[in-house]
Short mmCIF file of all heavy atoms in Angstrom, two decimals:
data_model
loop_
_atom_site.label_atom_id
_atom_site.label_comp_id
_atom_site.label_asym_id
_atom_site.label_seq_id
_atom_site.Cartn_x
_atom_site.Cartn_y
_atom_site.Cartn_z
N LEU A 36 -6.25 -6.74 -14.97
CA LEU A 36 -7.25 -6.04 -15.78
C LEU A 36 -8.47 -6.93 -15.94
O LEU A 36 -8.37 -8.02 -16.53
CB LEU A 36 -6.68 -5.70 -17.16
CG LEU A 36 -5.39 -4.89 -17.20
CD1 LEU A 36 -5.01 -4.58 -18.64
CD2 LEU A 36 -5.53 -3.61 -16.40
N PRO A 37 -9.62 -6.51 -15.40
CA PRO A 37 -10.83 -7.32 -15.58
C PRO A 37 -11.30 -7.26 -17.03
O PRO A 37 -10.78 -6.47 -17.84
CB PRO A 37 -11.83 -6.64 -14.63
CG PRO A 37 -11.38 -5.21 -14.61
CD PRO A 37 -9.88 -5.26 -14.68
N ALA A 38 -12.29 -8.05 -17.34
CA ALA A 38 -12.79 -8.10 -18.72
C ALA A 38 -13.22 -6.73 -19.22
O ALA A 38 -13.00 -6.38 -20.39
CB ALA A 38 -13.97 -9.08 -18.80
N GLU A 39 -13.81 -5.93 -18.33
CA GLU A 39 -14.25 -4.59 -18.74
C GLU A 39 -13.08 -3.74 -19.21
O GLU A 39 -13.17 -3.01 -20.20
CB GLU A 39 -14.96 -3.89 -17.57
CG GLU A 39 -16.28 -4.53 -17.16
CD GLU A 39 -16.11 -5.63 -16.13
OE1 GLU A 39 -14.99 -6.17 -15.98
OE2 GLU A 39 -17.10 -5.94 -15.44
N ALA A 40 -11.96 -3.83 -18.50
CA ALA A 40 -10.77 -3.05 -18.88
C ALA A 40 -10.20 -3.53 -20.20
O ALA A 40 -9.74 -2.74 -21.02
CB ALA A 40 -9.71 -3.14 -17.78
N LEU A 41 -10.25 -4.85 -20.43
CA LEU A 41 -9.76 -5.38 -21.70
C LEU A 41 -10.60 -4.90 -22.87
O LEU A 41 -10.10 -4.80 -24.00
CB LEU A 41 -9.75 -6.91 -21.65
CG LEU A 41 -8.81 -7.55 -20.63
CD1 LEU A 41 -8.92 -9.07 -20.71
CD2 LEU A 41 -7.38 -7.10 -20.82
N ARG A 42 -11.86 -4.57 -22.60
CA ARG A 42 -12.73 -4.02 -23.65
C ARG A 42 -12.56 -2.52 -23.79
O ARG A 42 -13.22 -1.89 -24.62
CB ARG A 42 -14.19 -4.34 -23.34
CG ARG A 42 -14.54 -5.82 -23.37
CD ARG A 42 -16.04 -6.04 -23.41
NE ARG A 42 -16.71 -5.56 -22.20
CZ ARG A 42 -17.01 -6.31 -21.16
NH1 ARG A 42 -16.67 -7.60 -21.15
NH2 ARG A 42 -17.63 -5.80 -20.11
N GLY A 43 -11.71 -1.92 -22.96
CA GLY A 43 -11.46 -0.49 -23.04
C GLY A 43 -12.39 0.35 -22.18
O GLY A 43 -12.36 1.58 -22.27
N GLU A 44 -13.21 -0.30 -21.35
CA GLU A 44 -14.13 0.44 -20.48
C GLU A 44 -13.38 0.99 -19.26
O GLU A 44 -12.51 0.31 -18.70
CB GLU A 44 -15.26 -0.47 -20.01
CG GLU A 44 -16.11 -1.03 -21.13
CD GLU A 44 -17.14 -2.03 -20.63
OE1 GLU A 44 -17.45 -2.00 -19.41
OE2 GLU A 44 -17.61 -2.84 -21.45
N ALA A 45 -13.70 2.20 -18.84
CA ALA A 45 -13.08 2.79 -17.66
C ALA A 45 -13.50 2.03 -16.42
O ALA A 45 -14.69 1.75 -16.23
CB ALA A 45 -13.46 4.26 -17.53
N CYS A 46 -12.53 1.70 -15.58
CA CYS A 46 -12.79 0.89 -14.39
C CYS A 46 -12.27 1.57 -13.13
O CYS A 46 -11.22 2.22 -13.16
CB CYS A 46 -12.09 -0.47 -14.51
SG CYS A 46 -12.69 -1.50 -15.84
N PRO A 47 -12.98 1.41 -12.00
CA PRO A 47 -12.40 1.83 -10.72
C PRO A 47 -11.14 1.02 -10.47
O PRO A 47 -10.99 -0.10 -10.97
CB PRO A 47 -13.50 1.51 -9.70
CG PRO A 47 -14.35 0.48 -10.38
CD PRO A 47 -14.29 0.76 -11.85
N THR A 48 -10.23 1.60 -9.72
CA THR A 48 -8.89 1.01 -9.57
C THR A 48 -8.49 1.00 -8.11
O THR A 48 -8.72 1.97 -7.39
CB THR A 48 -7.87 1.81 -10.41
OG1 THR A 48 -8.27 1.76 -11.79
CG2 THR A 48 -6.47 1.25 -10.27
N LEU A 49 -7.87 -0.10 -7.69
CA LEU A 49 -7.41 -0.25 -6.32
C LEU A 49 -5.91 -0.55 -6.32
O LEU A 49 -5.46 -1.49 -6.98
CB LEU A 49 -8.17 -1.38 -5.63
CG LEU A 49 -7.84 -1.66 -4.16
CD1 LEU A 49 -8.13 -0.45 -3.29
CD2 LEU A 49 -8.60 -2.89 -3.67
N PHE A 50 -5.14 0.26 -5.60
CA PHE A 50 -3.73 -0.01 -5.38
C PHE A 50 -3.59 -0.88 -4.13
O PHE A 50 -4.20 -0.60 -3.10
CB PHE A 50 -2.96 1.30 -5.16
CG PHE A 50 -2.59 2.03 -6.42
CD1 PHE A 50 -3.56 2.56 -7.26
CD2 PHE A 50 -1.26 2.20 -6.76
CE1 PHE A 50 -3.22 3.24 -8.41
CE2 PHE A 50 -0.91 2.88 -7.92
CZ PHE A 50 -1.89 3.40 -8.75
N TYR A 51 -2.75 -1.90 -4.23
CA TYR A 51 -2.43 -2.76 -3.08
C TYR A 51 -0.94 -2.62 -2.79
O TYR A 51 -0.10 -2.96 -3.63
CB TYR A 51 -2.78 -4.22 -3.36
CG TYR A 51 -2.42 -5.14 -2.20
CD1 TYR A 51 -3.37 -5.49 -1.25
CD2 TYR A 51 -1.12 -5.62 -2.04
CE1 TYR A 51 -3.04 -6.31 -0.17
CE2 TYR A 51 -0.78 -6.44 -0.98
CZ TYR A 51 -1.74 -6.77 -0.05
OH TYR A 51 -1.40 -7.57 1.02
#
Side-chain angles (χ1 to χ4, degrees):
L36 304 183
E39 293 89 340
L41 296 180
R42 294 194 296 265
E44 299 175 20
C46 296
T48 300
L49 181 61
F50 278 65
Y51 178 96

